[in-house]
Amino acid sequence: GSVYLFPNSRGLFKVTTIEGDTHQLFNLNYNIKSQRLESMVSKDSVFLYDLNTIDFIVNNNTKYKAIFEGELNGLFLEVFNNDKIKLYKKSHIVVEEGVMNPLTQEMITENKYSQKFSYFFWINDEYVETKLSKSNILKVLSDKKDAIKEYASKNKLSYSSEEDMKNILNHYSSI
């Protein structure tokens, strides 16, 4: 695995600052482990951007929001966004330990990085961390719980699917 958020650091990245200025960059990646935005300047040189000055980044029609509030720090994937509610996805790096041969004390497989995810709703002017499960989602959307349950059931939507959650949140916002 990799410590980087984007699978490829080459491509068009539209970076919008907090002031509203937009810049196009062709070489960018977010280091999840160090929580730094990096650009390879040359083979042995990396330029670090100040993430505190960035509002959001768009890559391949996917928007990533820079959030710095309380314990929330870093770049978050924007899963859903409207006036009433927002859903963000945060990537975390976990080291999966490799396997060691107990007899020779040599590593059979190397340690590797893998990504785990956390989800955060922005609702009622606060961030709420949750898992994408039926009980957790209905707890967050408790003011319209029955209507959401009926809508998800009728349309065969899964609470654990990001795509289905977009439909559920669209419906939540419309009622």
Side-chain angles (χ1 to χ4, degrees), residues 34-162:
S34 66
Q35 296 188 340
R36 297 190 309 200
L37 196 58
E38 304 174 353
S39 182
M40 291 293 288
V41 178
S42 64
K43 287 183 181 180
D44 63 348
S45 197
V46 176
F47 183 81
L48 300 177
Y49 291 91
D50 183 1
L51 205 53
N52 292 306
T53 64
I54 293 172
D55 187 15
F56 60 88
I57 297 169
V58 177
N59 175 250
N60 293 329
N61 295 323
T62 305
K63 188 174 179 180
Y64 297 88
K65 175 90 170 133
I67 299 174
F68 296 96
E69 277 197 38
E71 293 180 19
L72 295 183
N73 291 308
L75 204 58
F76 293 70
L77 170 67
E78 190 175 273
V79 177
F80 182 83
N81 181 354
N82 76 12
D83 294 339
K84 289 186 180 181
I85 191 166
K86 297 169 180 31
L87 177 61
Y88 297 103
K89 177 179 174 180
K90 170 100 170 144
S91 297
H92 307 276
I93 290 293
V94 176
V95 178
E96 294 179 5
E97 297 293 326
V99 178
M100 182 180 283
N101 182 328
L103 190 58
T104 63
Q105 295 294 305
E106 290 183 14
M107 295 298 286
I108 297 170
T109 59
E110 297 295 319
N111 293 349
K112 68 177 187 175
Y113 293 112
S114 65
Q115 288 188 27
K116 302 292 182 202
F117 306 102
S118 302
Y119 291 89
F120 296 87
F121 278 102
W122 172 256
I123 186 167
N124 300 326
D125 293 329
E126 68 177 352
Y127 287 101
V128 178
E129 183 173 6
T130 190
K131 292 185 173 151
L132 293 189
S133 69
K134 182 177 181 177
S135 61
N136 288 329
I137 299 301
L138 292 176
K139 201 179 296 179
V140 173
L141 307 177
S142 60
D143 59 328
K144 300 174 184 174
K145 177 180 176 179
D146 294 333
I148 295 300
K149 273 171 63 173
E150 182 183 328
Y151 178 79
S153 176
K154 188 168 100 177
N155 293 286
K156 295 182 171 75
L157 299 175
S158 168
Y159 294 90
S160 59
S161 159
E162 287 181 23

